[in-house]
Amino acid sequence: MAAACTLSDISSNEQVVEEAKRGTPGADEDSNSTPAASASLWEVGCRLRPLVLLMGLLALQSGVLAPSVIYVSTSFFAGTGSNCSANPSSEACKRGAAELAYWKGILKAVTISISWISAVAFGSLSDRIGRRPLYRIKALLSGLPVAMLTLHEFGGVSFWGYLVVDTIVDSFEIGGVYVATAADLVTEPSLRAAAFATLMGSLLVMRGVVLLISLVPGRVALMMAIAATGMVILYVEAVLPETGKLSAASGASRRTRCAKQARRAACVLLRNSFVFRTAIIIAASWFALSGVRVLIVPISTGYLGVTKNQGIGLAFVTGASMFLGTAMTKPLTGLCGETRALRFSLLAAVLYPIAVASSRSLGPLAVFSFVLSGPMIIMMPVVAAMKSNLFGEDEQGLVQGALTSIRVVASALAEFFFGWLYRHTTDRGEAPHDAVWVPLLTGSTLFAVALLIALGLPHKLPAPPRPPQPPKSQTQSSESSPSCNEDAEVGARGK
């Protein structure tokens, strides 16, 4: 019988976690209940509610400031006296948008030197000490950029302080821990694509609400972000449950240094051809996606003259399309399979940069964004589910950390490369509109490479390796120097 998500259930997060660790009621073959594979999106969402609430608070904290930060930073690089919120298409603001894209790329390149290894290390660490300690640290760090923006707004501190602090906080990368937590709460492989899509859909809805809230004046939004920071810290400390499946044996075998964790992550990604090719798809698509995201801001503000309120409207339209895309994920993967769904998503991604380059006003850009953003977003939960289903429960943190590391590296390199490319090809925003075709076509080409690799993937995922467990004495003797084969054995035991 399908379980309803009642108010009493929501107040009992520990019960949710215990149900997830035991397995969803109804999944047992001897039970007369509904099979887990037929669970509705609402039931999946009920299991994910501890994580959804946390991500909602984080979305409020950062999202309510995002539209204002874009124009504050553009005005800063445009020079003293510039107001790019009121006049984004002025010559000074065009130069400011190009400079912002360039310097953001440099700062992201700095972030990559730390975050690519922190993603792996923290993902694996969460398998040993639990997810919650890392959420605590992230909650505290997330308040630092808000504090620096407050000092800039009310104390006259240079905006460089905000940019530097934000770069440092971004280096503490725990994106893989979020995905691993979702895998903790939804253990059935057949439901994980729907679970990740539900998580993304919930986040998009919350971001849409936050976008409407962000229409308030900038200083009011700043006060709301400060309040949200306190709520995030309170929720993590007092409410968020621990979801990691910890054991003394697995913890003892994973007390290795960061270099060994990186080696284990590399072994995991090279476990078989399917995993390796999927990792390449992630790298190429995230490189292109991050690059196109960098280009959208200077193109829309500098060439199309999009104001702050219009930008919020465009983000709302794009978010609505992405929400529909996450809602389509479960029926699409059920009908076509995960591999075909991935190909469909990548095809939409190939077309999107071309559509952006051909847009000469806000109207066409909004239409193209609504039509193509939804299909594009499908690749994210599908790839996350593919990777999660190929590894054991006690490897989820390591695997998702490794994937996050790939995403971080690709994103940082893309922001640096595309920021430089846009600045060069547009002559710092002073060249005609046709100059944007070069960087956008570069992004489309990278998506096409990912699509070609996806066309070679089999329709059916390979079975995870299941070698026999080694003798206890052999396991103990090999703890100090884990090998790729031992990593495979850990994954098999998790399955």
Side-chain angles (χ1 to χ4, degrees):
M1 181 176 63
C5 187
T6 64
L7 290 176
S8 60
D9 290 331
I10 294 175
S11 65
S12 179
N13 288 325
E14 295 294 340
Q15 180 181 356
V16 176
V17 176
E18 290 304 317
E19 288 178 358
K21 290 180 179 180
R22 292 195 305 266
T24 307
D28 195 331
E29 293 180 355
D30 296 330
S31 173
N32 294 324
S33 303
T34 304
S38 65
S40 67
L41 291 178
W42 176 255
E43 295 173 64
V44 173
C46 286
R47 290 197 234 169
L48 293 171
R49 61 183 176 268
L51 189 56
V52 169
L53 290 173
L54 173 61
M55 298 183 73
L57 291 173
L58 291 170
L60 176 62
Q61 179 193 40
S62 60
V64 74
L65 288 175
S68 298
V69 168
I70 291 174
Y71 292 94
V72 169
S73 54
T74 304
S75 300
F76 173 75
F77 285 104
T80 305
S82 300
N83 185 357
C84 295
S85 178
N87 191 15
S89 58
S90 65
E91 292 300 320
C93 290
K94 284 184 178 180
R95 291 193 301 270
E99 288 296 310
L100 175 61
Y102 174 73
W103 281 105
K104 281 185 68 177
I106 292 178
L107 293 174
K108 278 293 183 181
V110 174
T111 301
I112 189 180
S113 63
I114 303 173
S115 57
W116 75 272
I117 189 66
S118 71
V120 178
F122 292 141
S124 181
L125 183 64
S126 73
D127 288 334
R128 178 163 61 88
I129 68 172
R131 322 293 187 202
R132 196 163 172 241
L134 296 172
Y135 287 135
R136 287 174 172 169
I137 299 173
K138 188 67 173 180
L140 294 172
L141 291 177
S142 66
L144 296 180
V146 178
M148 291 306 302
L149 194 60
T150 304
L151 291 174
H152 169 73
E153 191 70 21
F154 295 101
V157 176
S158 173
F159 191 72
W160 278 110
Y162 168 82
L163 293 174
V164 171
V165 169
D166 191 53
T167 299
I168 295 172
V169 173
D170 280 347
S171 300
F172 188 86
E173 178 58 63
I174 63 167
V177 180
Y178 290 104
V179 183
T181 302
D184 294 338
L185 295 170
V186 180
T187 58
E188 301 88 340
S190 61
L191 290 179
R192 278 185 172 155
F196 297 140
T198 301
L199 191 64
M200 293 179 62
S202 301
L203 182 59
L204 288 169
V205 170
M206 290 181 287
R207 284 183 173 175
V209 174
V210 171
L211 277 174
L212 295 177
I213 297 173
S214 66
L215 289 169
V216 301
R219 293 196 172 188
V220 176
L222 187 56
M223 295 298 101
M224 296 177 67
I226 294 172
T229 300
M231 294 169 64
V232 169
I233 295 173
L234 181 63
Y235 178 78
V236 172
E237 289 293 334
V239 180
L240 185 69
E242 177 58 69
T243 63
K245 304 170 182 61
L246 310 178
S247 68
S250 63
S253 63
R254 295 186 181 202
R255 292 171 186 169
T256 55
R257 296 179 180 179
C258 290
K260 290 184 179 180
Q261 297 291 8
R263 181 178 177 276
R264 290 184 65 232
C267 290
V268 163
L269 296 178
L270 294 172
R271 185 165 290 176
N272 58 53
S273 174
F274 188 96
V275 173
F276 178 66
R277 283 182 286 175
T278 308
I280 295 177
I281 291 173
I282 292 173
S285 58
W286 265 107
F287 190 89
L289 185 62
S290 299
V292 172
R293 185 178 58 191
V294 167
L295 299 172
I296 287 293
V297 173
I299 290 173
S300 60
T301 57
Y303 283 99
L304 303 184
V306 175
T307 63
K308 175 184 174 181
N309 288 348
Q310 290 174 333
I312 292 174
L314 178 62
F316 192 82
V317 168
T318 303
S321 175
M322 289 180 176
F323 174 76
L324 293 176
T326 59
M328 289 169 52
T329 301
K330 183 179 180 181
L332 184 63
T333 54
L335 179 65
C336 303
E338 292 175 345
T339 303
R340 290 190 178 94
L342 176 62
R343 294 169 184 168
F344 168 72
S345 181
L346 287 170
L347 177 60
V350 171
L351 298 176
Y352 181 72
I354 299 173
V356 172
S358 63
S359 300
R360 298 303 176 102
S361 63
L362 178 61
L365 179 61
V367 171
F368 288 135
S369 296
F370 182 79
V371 172
L372 296 174
S373 296
M376 282 176 63
I377 203 70
I378 292 174
M379 74 175 79
M380 298 182 185
V382 168
V383 170
M386 284 180 171
K387 290 293 189 181
S388 182
N389 292 337
L390 288 172
F391 299 96
E393 300 300 329
D394 61 345
E395 276 188 315
Q396 291 299 318
L398 177 65
V399 172
Q400 301 302 342
L403 297 182
T404 301
S405 180
I406 293 175
R407 176 182 61 79
V408 167
V409 171
S411 178
L413 291 176
E415 295 206 21
F416 175 77
F417 172 74
F418 280 92
W420 168 83
L421 185 62
Y422 177 84
R423 186 172 183 251
H424 177 72
T425 56
T426 64
D427 192 19
R428 301 193 179 192
E430 296 181 1
H433 187 279
D434 288 340
V436 305
W437 275 97
V438 174
L440 286 170
L441 281 179
T442 302
S444 181
T445 302
L446 289 167
F447 279 126
V449 171
L451 176 59
L452 289 175
I453 297 173
L455 290 174
L457 293 177
H459 293 161
K460 185 177 180 181
L461 271 67
R466 293 178 178 271
Q469 295 188 11
K472 185 175 182 181
S473 59
Q474 178 183 346
T475 303
Q476 292 175 345
S477 64
S478 62
E479 284 178 359
S480 60
S481 179
S483 65
C484 290
N485 290 336
E486 289 165 352
D487 287 331
E489 292 165 2
V490 172
R493 289 197 296 273
K495 289 289 184 182

